[in-house]
């Protein structure tokens, strides 16, 4: 199983970025897919998740109203549309996959079955 994240980069505050994570090796339509991030000197934190089939989504409070998670099960891909970006959103973003039925369960790292390599997001002030 491989998770390949892309779409990171440097953006000014207030700007937007769209992250993508393509999964390969098996079908994840019934799995939860989501995103975590880790800023320098900080622990990895949950950002957003979508349950299998996209029936439910869940976000950390700090990104609600600014970030939107979506998925294309036909492409085995999860997306994170990030808008109104702030300098505090600067981090390495990791996609994650878990055998869960409710998106909220993905908030805990111990429930993650697969991790992707990160993609750097830098927001300048």
């Amino acid at each position: 199983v491989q998770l390949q994240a892309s779409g990171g980069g440097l953006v000014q505050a207030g700007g937007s970025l769209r992250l993508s994570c393509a999964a390969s090796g098996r079908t994840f339509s019934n799995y939860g897919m989501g995103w975590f991030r880790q800023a320098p000197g900080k622990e990895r934190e949950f950002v957003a998740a979508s349950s299998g089939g996209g029936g439910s989504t869940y976000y950390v409070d700090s990104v609600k109203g600014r970030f939107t998670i979506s998925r294309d099960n036909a492409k085995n891909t999860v997306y994170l549309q990030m808008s109104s970006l702030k300098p505090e959103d600067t981090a390495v973003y990791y996609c994650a996959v878990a055998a869960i039925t409710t998106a909220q369960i993905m908030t805990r790292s111990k429930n993650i079955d697969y991790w992707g390599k990160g993609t750097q997001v830098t927001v300048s002030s």
Side-chain angles (χ1 to χ4, degrees):
V1 173
Q2 287 191 330
L3 302 177
Q4 184 63 53
S6 61
L10 173 64
V11 64
Q12 289 187 332
S16 299
L17 280 175
R18 188 194 194 205
L19 304 183
S20 300
C21 178
S24 60
R26 65 176 301 167
T27 299
F28 289 108
S29 57
N30 294 322
Y31 281 65
M33 302 182 79
W35 296 89
F36 285 70
R37 66 186 179 186
Q38 187 167 19
K42 295 187 177 181
E43 294 186 352
R44 189 174 299 189
E45 68 166 350
F46 167 81
V47 177
S50 171
S51 63
S56 68
T57 57
Y58 195 78
Y59 299 88
V60 67
D61 286 345
S62 60
V63 308
K64 286 180 180 178
R66 300 188 299 120
F67 290 11
T68 302
I69 189 169
S70 62
R71 60 194 291 168
D72 185 338
N73 286 334
K75 296 181 179 180
N76 238 14
T77 299
V78 63
Y79 305 96
L80 186 67
Q81 178 67 47
M82 306 184 294
S83 303
S84 301
L85 282 161
K86 304 175 181 180
E88 50 264 43
D89 294 317
T90 295
V92 177
Y93 283 70
Y94 298 89
C95 59
V97 172
I100 54 89
T101 55
T102 304
Q104 190 171 356
I105 298 176
M106 285 193 69
T107 59
R108 305 184 72 178
S109 297
K110 70 174 186 177
N111 294 328
I112 303 303
D113 296 297
Y114 304 101
W115 292 98
K117 294 182 179 179
T119 184
Q120 176 71 47
V121 172
T122 303
V123 184
S124 63
S125 57

